[in-house]
Amino acid sequence: MSIYATIEGIGGDGDPEDLGMPWIYQGSHILPDEDDPRGGDVGLALIPSHITRDGRDDQPEDGIPWPWLRLSIDAESDRAVLLSPAQARRLGQQLANWADEVDPTTDGDDHA
């Protein structure tokens, strides 16, 4: 059983369908093209506050998630995918949203 709760990434279940899957990285010698094959995903998952371990039961059930984010890349080859600017913006926004939630002491201006 995983302690992680999936949040929207790129190309996986639950992500914005208008963005689609990332492009398959075909190697450093190939200039990508919009019509290239797509596959894989960039996944994000957080640890909800209700997850505890022995000696560490100090967070409420509906509290701030733990300050650890799992970022995974499921790729067709070479452990890499290619993202469009729209996909990169979406991923950046998801990362900033998570960081703001687990570290509310910042005012959000650090995400420029």
Side-chain angles (χ1 to χ4, degrees), residues 29-60:
H29 61 291
I30 297 177
L31 182 62
D33 186 85
E34 183 74 30
D35 294 329
D36 283 349
R38 291 178 170 225
D41 64 70
V42 178
L44 301 172
L46 55 77
I47 304 172
S49 66
H50 70 271
I51 300 298
T52 62
R53 63 177 180 244
D54 290 343
R56 188 71 193 261
D57 194 16
D58 57 353
Q59 290 209 85

Side-chain angles (χ1 to χ4, degrees), residues 32-108:
D33 186 85
E34 183 74 30
D35 294 329
D36 283 349
R38 291 178 170 225
D41 64 70
V42 178
L44 301 172
L46 55 77
I47 304 172
S49 66
H50 70 271
I51 300 298
T52 62
R53 63 177 180 244
D54 290 343
R56 188 71 193 261
D57 194 16
D58 57 353
Q59 290 209 85
E61 290 284 320
D62 60 350
I64 296 170
W66 288 94
W68 303 103
L69 181 74
R70 184 183 70 198
L71 184 143
S72 59
I73 298 176
D74 178 17
E76 299 285 327
S77 63
D78 205 18
R79 298 186 309 260
V81 294
L82 302 175
L83 301 178
S84 69
Q87 291 170 325
R89 283 186 195 98
R90 174 65 181 173
L91 183 58
Q93 188 60 55
Q94 288 295 84
L95 294 172
N97 289 346
W98 170 81
D100 290 345
E101 186 176 4
V102 300
D103 186 11
T105 60
T106 62
D107 60 8

